[in-house]
Amino acid sequence: AAIAQEDATYRSTVLRVGPAGATVELESMPAFLPWSHWRLTPEERADKSKLIGSALDVKVLEANAANDRLVVSNRRVKVENRLGQLAPGQVVDGIVVSLKPFGAVIRLMDLDDLDGLLHISQVSRTFVTDIATVFSVGEHIRCVVIKVDVSDGSIQLSTKMLEDKAGDMLNDREALFQKVGDAATVET
């Protein structure tokens, strides 16, 4: 439990990999590193021989002594290292890397080791029922950082904050992105 309260960055070693993530050694203890907290390409993930024995920095996400559960995150380390480059209201460019029922995962272009979530409720002031009708994987988009949470390594994004009127994002997003141009920030 003390290890979680320190909020320190630890050097860990990958012991084994599985379908849900990797087991790493942290201060002589096994810890689980979910894939969602360690961004690897499918090719990197598939080459288990290169991963096992590799070292990476992690922070504790959850420590539960009663259940012998220790969960760590490499994403938290990356977000903390880039904290000075991210702020609520900041306009960022990104690429849609995946679509989920609840939103789109956006790879931030100037921070290529970080992904953010554009929740479906943050796409437009007009109600969106299916994110796949709005975006496609590989598409370039511009969005606004609404929250950076170092406790879980998450970055929350919005495109509806770019809209002057409801539906701008759905009707003509290229014009909207052009209008925003190279603006560094918007009012949050």
Side-chain angles (χ1 to χ4, degrees):
I3 199 168
Q5 293 171 349
E6 289 179 29
D7 195 38
T9 299
Y10 297 93
R11 193 74 171 161
S12 69
T13 304
V14 178
L15 301 174
R16 59 188 164 273
V17 295
T23 301
V24 299
E25 181 181 7
L26 176 78
E27 302 285 304
S28 301
M29 296 179 291
F32 179 65
L33 173 60
W35 290 128
S36 62
H37 281 267
W38 185 18
R39 199 190 91 209
L40 296 172
T41 65
E43 296 80 20
E44 290 170 324
R45 198 178 293 176
D47 192 354
K48 295 177 181 172
S49 64
K50 280 189 179 171
L51 294 178
I52 295 171
S54 65
L56 76 153
D57 293 332
V58 296
K59 285 184 160 291
V60 174
L61 266 180
E62 177 188 340
N64 186 324
N67 295 340
D68 278 338
R69 182 175 162 93
L70 185 58
V71 182
V72 296
S73 170
N74 175 254
R75 186 173 72 192
R76 278 193 66 207
V77 174
K78 290 183 176 188
V79 168
E80 188 175 87
N81 290 343
R82 301 292 190 122
L83 205 50
Q85 295 171 275
L86 288 168
Q90 180 180 348
V91 176
V92 293
D93 288 321
I95 303 287
V96 178
V97 291
S98 70
L99 299 172
K100 310 285 183 198
F102 53 84
V105 178
I106 311 298
R107 173 110 351 109
L108 303 180
M109 289 175 67
D110 293 334
L111 306 162
D112 63 359
D113 57 351
L114 292 179
D115 294 341
L117 175 66
L118 174 59
H119 191 271
I120 195 166
S121 66
Q122 288 294 324
V123 171
S124 176
R125 287 187 272 165
T126 298
F127 185 71
V128 174
T129 55
D130 181 5
I131 194 97
T133 63
V134 181
F135 298 114
S136 56
V137 172
E139 183 176 349
H140 171 271
I141 70 165
R142 184 162 280 166
C143 38
V144 178
V145 175
I146 54 175
K147 184 177 179 186
V148 179
D149 189 340
V150 292
S151 70
D152 67 2
S154 65
I155 301 167
Q156 296 173 25
L157 304 169
S158 174
T159 51
K160 80 177 180 182
M161 291 180 69
L162 298 172
E163 292 182 323
D164 286 330
K165 61 182 187 286
D168 282 352
M169 187 64 203
L170 307 176
N171 299 328
D172 192 358
R173 71 174 152 266
E174 288 308 316
L176 180 64
F177 292 160
Q178 212 166 31
K179 182 182 81 60
V180 173
D182 293 327
T185 60
V186 297
E187 192 84 18
T188 54

